[in-house]
Amino acid sequence: LRMASTGRQEPHIDVEKVRHETRGCRGEAVHFNNAGAALMPAPVVDAYVDYVRQEEEMGGYEVAAKRSEDFEGFYKASAKMLNCNSDEVAFVESATRGWHLAFYSLALKKGDRVITS
């Protein structure tokens, strides 16, 4: 994170580092399908594979309980990056699912208008 002119911290992403850590960026391919299936950096893939291997050996509920601090760390880190509280962060399996949860939680009635961009 770095400080913005407003005095708030802004996230800073080292693009070259992320490209270097993303195995799919090391070849000649150009990948534009980032909306739903971006190329994952190696540390993400490695952590994911490690987690699934633990589930293979211990079971899903057991690993979830053992790694609960990791999940809480995700919410804290995300909140720091988004400059909000961790209880304001929602993690869902896809953007579509997140949209559905948010949109259908609104008590809309006939005549209401929804403006999106």
Side-chain angles (χ1 to χ4, degrees), residues 4-80:
S5 59
T6 61
R8 292 176 31 190
Q9 290 185 333
E10 282 187 346
H12 171 72
I13 298 174
D14 183 341
V15 175
E16 290 304 315
K17 179 181 178 198
V18 173
R19 284 184 179 148
H20 178 74
E21 291 177 341
T22 305
R23 295 175 184 119
C25 290
R26 296 180 187 167
E28 298 295 319
V30 177
H31 189 266
F32 290 113
N33 186 16
N34 295 320
L39 300 175
M40 290 186 278
V44 173
V45 173
D46 295 343
Y48 178 80
V49 169
D50 179 57
Y51 190 93
V52 172
R53 285 205 173 114
Q54 286 182 21
E55 282 192 351
E56 175 187 32
E57 295 173 8
M58 297 172 58
Y61 293 124
E62 293 78 6
V63 175
K66 179 181 176 185
R67 305 275 301 262
S68 63
E69 288 184 21
D70 293 343
F71 292 117
E72 185 57 32
F74 162 81
Y75 287 99
K76 289 178 182 175
S78 297
K80 186 174 183 179

